[in-house]
């Protein structure tokens, strides 16, 4: 049985809350039920097998596996993944990061109504919490990122948050030139592309790019966002 069917009651409940919330604070242009299930729920769940296999490779199972969703917006891909992790009793802690505090309100509601105490929300910019003196630097086992910025930009935001051997999962649409443009960033930030998981979502060809961080991130990264953007690696 698919994960969506296994936890269908929970997903129906998330959809109901999403609909109610989206009608007064616009968290997403995706509204129709079928679209929400496909473009938010199923799309997020594409990462599940990869998360499970990274979790299984972890040496110690006592420490929680820490996942950060960078630019989570209304909580995607984070919410469906945190739901499954909670219901499957896995020791995973999720951080929902977004620079806009009001976007995190919906995640707070979901957390409360579905009892997802494995989620923490944080209103901050990724580059601010990734600086060299930050307690969040190089602590995450995995960083997820969907629809935030071009690949070379999000690689610079994600790298300093990941521990060595940690994984970065970028949700991308195929057919873009992004991977070729990110060659330099991948090298400088000591990433290695481990896997390209291709799938189709609502008729679109998509891919989950799975990177592993293979060495410590140089203290000069992340730079100020203005530089990250104007002088992208
Ligand atoms: N991941 C969600 C939202 C994408 S919209 C989805 O796929 O549906 C992009 C989000 O990234 C916005 O909510 C924006 O506030 C956030 N964002 C952009 N740059 C950011 C940064 N540097 N740090 C944290 N959040 C950021």
């Amino acid at each position: 049985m698919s994960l969506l069917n296994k936890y269908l009651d929970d997903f129906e409940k998330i959809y109901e809350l999403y609909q109610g919330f989206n009608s007064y604070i616009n968290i997403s242009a995706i509204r129709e039920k079928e679209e929400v299930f496909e473009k938010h729920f199923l799309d997020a769940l594409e990462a599940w097998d990869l998360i499970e296999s990274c979790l299984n490779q972890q040496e110690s199972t006592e420490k929680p596996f820490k996942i950060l969703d960078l630019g989570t917006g209304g909580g995607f891909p984070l919410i469906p993944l945190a739901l499954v992790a909670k219901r499957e009793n896995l020791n995973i802690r999720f951080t929902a990061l977004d620079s806009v505090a009001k976007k995190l309100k919906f995640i707070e509601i979901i957390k409360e109504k579905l009892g997802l105490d494995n989620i923490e929300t944080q209103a901050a910019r990724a580059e601010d919490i990734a600086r060299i003196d930050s307690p969040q630097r190089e602590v995450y086992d995995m960083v997820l990122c969907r629809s935030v910025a071009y690949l070379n930009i999000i690689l610079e935001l994600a790298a300093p948050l990941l521990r060595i051997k940690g994984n970065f999962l970028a949700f991308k649409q195929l057919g873009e030139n992004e991977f070729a443009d990110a060659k330099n960033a991948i090298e400088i930030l000591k990433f290695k592309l481990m896997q390209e998981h291709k799938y189709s979502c609502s008729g679109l060809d998509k891919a989950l790019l799975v990177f592993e961080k293979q060495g410590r991130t140089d203290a000069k990264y992340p730079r100020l966002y203005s530089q990250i953007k104007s002088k992208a690696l």
Side-chain angles (χ1 to χ4, degrees), residues 3-4 15-17 26 35-37 46 58 60 94 116 122 144 149 162 164 166 170 186 213 215-216 232:
L3 287 168
L4 191 76
Y15 174 69
E16 242 171 69
L17 294 164
N26 188 15
E35 250 203 317
V36 173
F37 270 66
E46 282 292 333
Q58 211 186 210
S60 145
F94 288 86
L116 303 184
Q122 184 177 18
L144 312 171
L162 283 167
I164 293 171
I186 291 168
K213 181 170 119 166
R216 291 205 85 143

Side-chain angles (χ1 to χ4, degrees), residues 9 12 22 35 38 56 97 104 134 151 159 171 219 231:
D9 289 351
E12 292 278 359
N22 214 19
E35 250 203 317
E38 279 192 21
N56 291 336
L97 180 79
L104 299 171
S134 157
L151 188 58
F171 288 71
K231 294 187 186 144

Side-chain angles (χ1 to χ4, degrees), residues 67-129:
I67 301 181
L68 179 132
D69 187 10
L70 198 168
T72 192
F76 298 101
L78 177 131
I79 291 172
L81 298 169
L83 170 79
V84 174
K86 177 70 187 172
R87 298 293 181 259
E88 306 262 318
N89 277 321
L90 295 172
N91 192 12
I92 308 181
R93 302 274 333 154
F94 288 86
T95 302
L97 180 79
D98 204 283
S99 51
V100 181
K102 79 166 194 217
K103 296 210 177 191
L104 299 171
K105 264 251 138 38
F106 177 66
I107 305 172
E108 288 293 342
I109 292 171
I110 293 291
K111 180 178 169 177
E112 193 204 313
K113 301 277 187 203
L114 286 108
L116 303 184
D117 56 4
N118 54 349
I119 301 177
E120 214 173 282
T121 55
Q122 184 177 18
R125 294 199 62 90
E127 62 277 20
D128 292 338
I129 64 158

Side-chain angles (χ1 to χ4, degrees), residues 6-179:
K6 188 168 175 189
Y7 299 111
L8 195 58
D9 289 351
D10 285 320
F11 282 111
E12 292 278 359
K13 197 163 173 189
I14 294 170
Y15 174 69
E16 242 171 69
L17 294 164
Y18 175 93
Q19 218 188 7
F21 193 83
N22 214 19
S23 60
Y24 71 98
I25 290 184
N26 188 15
I27 39 174
S28 171
I30 298 170
R31 282 153 200 272
E32 296 301 319
K33 185 168 181 182
E34 200 181 319
E35 250 203 317
V36 173
F37 270 66
E38 279 192 21
K39 294 190 180 166
H40 281 330
F41 300 167
L42 281 174
D43 191 52
L45 292 174
E46 282 292 333
W48 183 255
D49 288 351
L50 295 163
I51 291 177
E52 259 197 327
S53 72
C54 292
L55 186 68
N56 291 336
Q57 280 163 23
Q58 211 186 210
E59 287 133 32
S60 145
T61 49
E62 275 150 44
K63 271 198 307 179
F65 188 81
K66 292 200 278 299
I67 301 181
L68 179 132
D69 187 10
L70 198 168
T72 192
F76 298 101
L78 177 131
I79 291 172
L81 298 169
L83 170 79
V84 174
K86 177 70 187 172
R87 298 293 181 259
E88 306 262 318
N89 277 321
L90 295 172
N91 192 12
I92 308 181
R93 302 274 333 154
F94 288 86
T95 302
L97 180 79
D98 204 283
S99 51
V100 181
K102 79 166 194 217
K103 296 210 177 191
L104 299 171
K105 264 251 138 38
F106 177 66
I107 305 172
E108 288 293 342
I109 292 171
I110 293 291
K111 180 178 169 177
E112 193 204 313
K113 301 277 187 203
L114 286 108
L116 303 184
D117 56 4
N118 54 349
I119 301 177
E120 214 173 282
T121 55
Q122 184 177 18
R125 294 199 62 90
E127 62 277 20
D128 292 338
I129 64 158
R131 299 224 183 283
I132 193 73
D133 54 352
S134 157
Q136 280 168 280
R137 187 172 173 103
E138 301 203 311
V139 302
Y140 290 93
D141 299 292
M142 184 179 279
V143 172
L144 312 171
C145 192
R146 190 183 81 163
S147 307
V148 174
Y150 219 56
L151 188 58
N152 51 1
I153 292 178
I154 56 176
L155 285 166
E156 182 168 346
L157 297 176
L161 292 164
L162 283 167
R163 67 164 167 86
I164 293 171
K165 298 274 175 208
N167 290 106
F168 178 50
L169 267 60
F171 288 71
K172 284 287 170 194
Q173 243 171 67
L174 287 182
E176 297 162 14
N177 231 1
E178 283 189 60
F179 189 70

